[in-house]
Amino acid sequence: MGAKAGPPEVLGALAVLGLGAALLCLLWEAPWLTPWGQRHPQEGPAGSPGCGSSPAWEPLGGEVQWLWRNSCRLVLVESHPQDLPFAAGSPSAQPLAQAWLQLLDAAQESVHIASYYWSLTGQDIGVNDSSSQLGEALLQKLLQVLGRNVSLAVATSHPTLAKNSSDLRVLADRGAQVRSVPMGRLTGGVLHSKFWVVDGRHVYLGSANMDWRSLTQVKELGVVVHNCSHLARDLEKTFQTYWVLGAPRAVLPKHWPHNFSSHINHFQPLRARFDGVPTTAYFSASPPALCPHGRTRDLDALLAVMGAARRFLYVSVMDYFPTTRFSRPPRYWPVLDNALREAAFGRHVQVRLLVSCSLHTDPRMFPYLRSLQAFSNPAANVSVDVKVFIMPVGNHSNIPFSRMSHSKFMVTEKTAYIGTSNWSEDYFSSTSGVGLVASQRASGPRPRLSSVQEQLRQLFERDWSSRYAVGLDGQAQGQDCVWQG
């Protein structure tokens, strides 16, 4: 959900952190996990390079080299909170809980999970509600996975929001490896990423935390990529940056060792057929301090997608602030705001921004939204529209920090972006996050499958045209949202 920055002086301390090359090699080789096959912990994962060695796989080559295989498959996933019906026949994605359980059933060797915090049972927050059952079932499934001798490794943020949760202690007692990453000390932010890597072959990435409310009380969106080892092993490198920083007395390096480098990025994305559909894809990451050589920064990925839009640019995000949120004093930060305005004014792209409003939303966001809306000028073919997604609380008022839209995605006619970060400066400068940038093109005159960007556009338009999306000139229901309209 939200993120809290660490002490401001941490940012200054980063400038003097660093290790010699030889010491780095010793430090980074030792903690590597064993995600594929049984190897000694100091050998690193099967196929992973040590310091000074060559990459595990070579770059894919220029603009025309493709992996002509059909093993990769991309599926959008989402959760719909209870009592949030959409119109009959509306587009939908695979249920998130179903996708997670399927990934755990498929796991044969390893499950690596990065998550801001864990709270899978109702008792964690003192709530007795039947909607927690899916989260509790997920916890039991994770215990079953450990019982099958599948290794489970978790990187999470320290300190944690879920101070009363016993999930990670229960899993650790059954053999899970858990590392809490002191991101506040290291970068001034938190570990806000939410992704899985399963067997070095399958990936989940999206807005959902490991929280039962993410399955039944909060609206989430993500993506699962099946049978795609190139992408999975690339995302695993980001997991490993967290893992080594969670080791005792770990420090942030000035330069990440070679074995953390990526060869899949904005300039050289993975090119493969996903279910027969020509696809390009890559992962981005934040903050810059956690982007080893070759890794596209998350902010740069967003700006690249926005800059390439020519027809429409739709954004769904929980919070939207052209400022910092968690540093004091706050700073003005118009980078993404300017990019939206430039797309609308300079290229006449249709811009739509859908933000969440709940009882926990910071009302200081709304002047910024009104400013963006006021930029619209239909007479000059400048189209910028803003709506607020308000989820009815109904009889769920006993569940704290629920009944909100937590999604973080963007879609254009060319590209889909699915991420884990809200839109304010801290999420890109100090807090960890990840994003998937994917684009598909039709193969043949009558394509069998819709592209990922077309599927995501349909989900956005479903939300945009639903009864829960209120224009800034509309009247909001005060009992469900801090904003009155």
Side-chain angles (χ1 to χ4, degrees):
M1 312 261 176
K4 298 187 182 298
E9 61 269 18
V10 171
L11 295 175
L14 292 179
V16 298
L17 287 176
L19 295 173
L23 181 57
L24 272 176
C25 200
L26 291 173
L27 173 62
W28 299 126
E29 281 185 348
W32 278 76
L33 282 162
T34 309
W36 314 295
Q38 300 301 313
R39 293 166 62 87
H40 190 276
Q42 293 191 352
E43 291 178 19
S48 68
C51 286
S53 65
S54 60
W57 58 88
E58 294 304 316
L60 297 178
E63 290 295 311
V64 296
Q65 185 171 344
W66 294 73
L67 295 176
W68 293 109
R69 54 180 181 163
N70 295 307
S71 61
C72 299
R73 183 166 61 93
L74 185 152
V75 180
L76 296 179
V77 299
E78 66 178 348
S79 62
H80 282 176
Q82 292 181 353
D83 305 319
L84 192 81
F86 286 97
S90 294
S92 62
Q94 182 183 14
L96 174 63
Q98 181 187 84
W100 278 358
L101 293 171
Q102 287 179 352
L103 283 174
L104 294 179
D105 282 336
Q108 297 177 352
E109 296 179 353
S110 66
V111 178
H112 291 178
I113 298 177
S115 182
Y116 182 23
Y117 67 93
W118 285 62
S119 184
L120 291 177
T121 69
Q123 68 182 29
D124 288 344
I125 57 172
V127 170
N128 182 12
D129 192 280
S130 61
S131 63
S132 68
Q133 291 176 358
L134 269 180
E136 290 152 6
L138 181 66
L139 181 59
Q140 291 304 310
K141 180 68 73 172
L142 286 161
L143 291 170
Q144 291 173 19
V145 165
L146 287 167
R148 303 200 317 260
N149 292 322
V150 174
S151 67
L152 172 62
V154 174
T156 189
S157 195
H158 175 80
T160 179
L161 288 179
K163 299 187 184 303
N164 296 322
S165 175
S166 61
D167 298 348
L168 292 177
R169 184 169 62 253
V170 168
L171 293 171
D173 288 344
R174 296 286 189 90
Q177 301 176 72
V178 178
R179 286 192 177 177
S180 298
V181 184
M183 206 68 77
R185 174 175 65 81
L186 295 167
T187 68
V190 299
L191 193 157
H192 195 254
S193 306
K194 308 115 177 13
F195 66 83
W196 299 19
V197 180
V198 177
D199 291 345
R201 295 176 55 211
H202 316 295
V203 162
Y204 160 79
L205 180 152
S207 60
N209 292 300
M210 297 301 292
D211 187 329
W212 63 270
R213 289 166 290 189
S214 294
L215 302 177
T216 57
Q217 293 294 340
V218 175
K219 189 172 181 296
E220 310 278 9
L221 185 127
V223 61
V224 174
V225 183
H226 298 275
N227 298 312
C228 206
S229 59
H230 276 74
L231 279 183
R233 295 191 182 207
D234 189 58
L235 187 58
E236 172 69 20
K237 293 186 176 189
T238 294
F239 181 86
Q240 294 291 347
T241 64
Y242 308 154
W243 191 253
V244 297
L245 292 176
R249 299 177 299 282
V251 296
L252 194 68
K254 286 183 178 179
H255 303 288
W256 288 91
H258 179 69
N259 51 321
F260 291 87
S261 298
S262 173
H263 299 288
I264 301 175
N265 50 45
H266 167 65
F267 299 103
Q268 189 166 263
L270 174 74
R271 299 175 179 274
R273 286 185 177 270
F274 284 35
D275 274 340
V277 179
T279 302
T280 61
Y282 68 90
F283 291 112
S284 56
S286 65
L290 269 63
C291 288
H293 179 74
R295 178 71 62 203
T296 298
R297 298 177 180 185
D298 207 17
L299 178 60
D300 291 342
L302 282 169
L303 293 173
V305 174
M306 297 164 83
R310 293 297 180 268
R311 291 176 43 217
F312 67 86
L313 196 167
Y314 298 162
V315 179
S316 179
V317 70
M318 186 181 81
D319 287 338
Y320 180 89
F321 281 84
T323 64
T324 57
R325 293 291 317 285
F326 309 108
S327 62
R328 297 293 179 267
R331 296 184 302 275
Y332 185 52
W333 184 77
V335 176
L336 294 174
D337 197 68
N338 284 346
L340 292 178
R341 294 170 189 259
E342 195 282 326
F345 189 90
R347 304 191 304 278
H348 303 294
V349 175
Q350 181 191 44
V351 173
R352 288 178 172 177
L353 174 64
L354 183 61
V355 298
S356 177
C357 185
S358 73
L359 296 175
H360 304 286
T361 297
D362 186 341
R364 292 175 294 181
M365 175 174 64
F366 292 95
Y368 302 120
L369 299 180
R370 289 193 180 279
S371 171
L372 188 60
Q373 176 79 68
F375 189 74
S376 192
N377 183 2
N381 196 22
V382 176
S383 176
V384 181
D385 291 307
V386 180
K387 285 188 177 183
V388 178
F389 194 94
I390 304 172
M391 190 178 306
V393 173
N395 62 357
H396 304 284
S397 59
N398 63 314
I399 304 173
F401 294 100
S402 64
R403 314 307 291 177
M404 68 183 72
S405 178
H406 195 234
S407 304
K408 302 115 174 26
F409 70 85
M410 176 173 61
V411 62
T412 74
E413 76 280 0
K414 297 178 180 178
T415 308
Y417 168 89
I418 298 168
T420 69
S421 295
N422 295 304
W423 282 25
S424 67
E425 192 222 4
D426 317 76
Y427 286 93
F428 302 100
S429 64
S430 58
T431 283
S432 82
V434 290
L436 173 68
V437 180
S439 179
Q440 296 183 315
R441 61 179 173 85
S443 53
R446 301 181 66 181
R448 179 173 58 90
L449 299 172
S450 296
S451 67
V452 60
Q453 59 266 28
E454 173 62 16
Q455 295 175 54
L456 197 55
R457 180 192 67 81
Q458 291 178 12
L459 294 177
F460 178 91
E461 291 186 340
R462 175 202 65 191
D463 295 346
W464 182 265
S465 61
S466 72
R467 63 191 186 194
Y468 313 112
V470 179
L472 292 181
D473 296 326
Q475 185 65 36
Q477 296 180 358
Q479 70 269 26
D480 298 326
C481 168
V482 295
W483 172 65
Q484 299 295 314

